[in-house]
Amino acid sequence: MLMRHCTMALRVARSQMSPNAAGTSKKNLMQRFYGSQAPAIGIVDYDVVKKLAGEPKKLLIDVREPEELKETGQIPASINIPLGVVSQELAASEQLFKSKYGREKPQPDTEIIFHCKIGKRSLKAAEAAAALGFRNVKNYEGSWLDWAKREGLPK
């Protein structure tokens, strides 16, 4: 539902642009619509992710589909929230989030690290979290393929 509202607001913003702004880049439009205060998406590597099991205040979210996890397994300490529902789940109540994932719902300043198979879907998830107001979001750029290679696991 939140995504529908954002999409509708973006369409309204586009429709209200002057004819001279038709050539405006998508990036400029997004900066105008959301403002220039958007937090940067950090990048983490294997060494950072490897230490997460001992850092319970940080949250590692695997945005792959459950079927993918059945085929490959998952990184220890990660929770699975597929990309298609990540915005909805991060916007859920604290009680609902904890009951579904066994973890406290992240606060706006909680460090949240996203990963997927190669790092593209996780970047989209990080951008969605930032749009929801989370300020400390990061992407494990190598994601599962990097993890599996370094841990000697099937890809």
Side-chain angles (χ1 to χ4, degrees):
M1 187 155 160
L2 178 62
M3 290 301 289
R4 271 190 279 172
H5 290 298
C6 290
T7 303
M8 287 173 46
L10 185 56
R11 285 183 185 144
V12 169
R14 283 182 181 156
S15 70
Q16 293 177 350
M17 289 174 55
S18 67
N20 293 347
T24 302
S25 73
K26 192 174 192 179
K27 181 178 178 186
N28 288 341
L29 176 62
M30 297 304 279
Q31 285 176 338
R32 283 181 46 209
F33 185 68
Y34 291 110
S36 60
Q37 302 295 342
I41 307 298
I43 297 171
V44 299
D45 61 13
Y46 169 83
D47 294 326
V48 171
V49 175
K50 182 76 173 173
K51 296 175 187 172
L52 288 177
E55 300 183 41
K57 293 191 181 218
K58 297 179 181 181
L59 185 60
L60 179 62
I61 300 177
D62 186 334
V63 298
R64 296 178 295 161
E65 294 298 320
E67 299 80 37
E68 293 176 86
L69 276 65
K70 288 177 187 172
E71 293 174 10
T72 63
Q74 67 186 93
I75 297 174
S78 69
I79 62 171
N80 179 230
I81 305 177
L83 177 61
V85 296
V86 76
S87 291
Q88 173 186 332
E89 296 299 309
L90 289 174
S93 72
E94 291 184 27
Q95 184 179 8
L96 181 60
F97 190 93
K98 186 167 186 171
S99 71
K100 281 179 118 173
Y101 302 107
R103 299 282 307 265
E104 295 294 327
K105 179 183 171 186
Q107 298 302 306
D109 61 341
T110 300
E111 184 173 338
I112 307 173
I113 300 169
F114 294 93
H115 83 90
C116 58
K117 183 175 182 178
I118 63 172
K120 290 187 178 187
R121 286 178 285 177
S122 53
L123 178 58
K124 289 181 182 192
E127 290 169 345
L132 288 171
F134 292 95
R135 298 183 295 267
N136 194 3
V137 294
K138 298 179 180 168
N139 183 29
Y140 177 18
E141 219 171 34
S143 283
W144 177 259
L145 290 182
D146 182 58
W147 179 267
K149 177 182 170 187
R150 293 172 182 263
E151 293 286 314
L153 300 170
K155 297 176 186 179

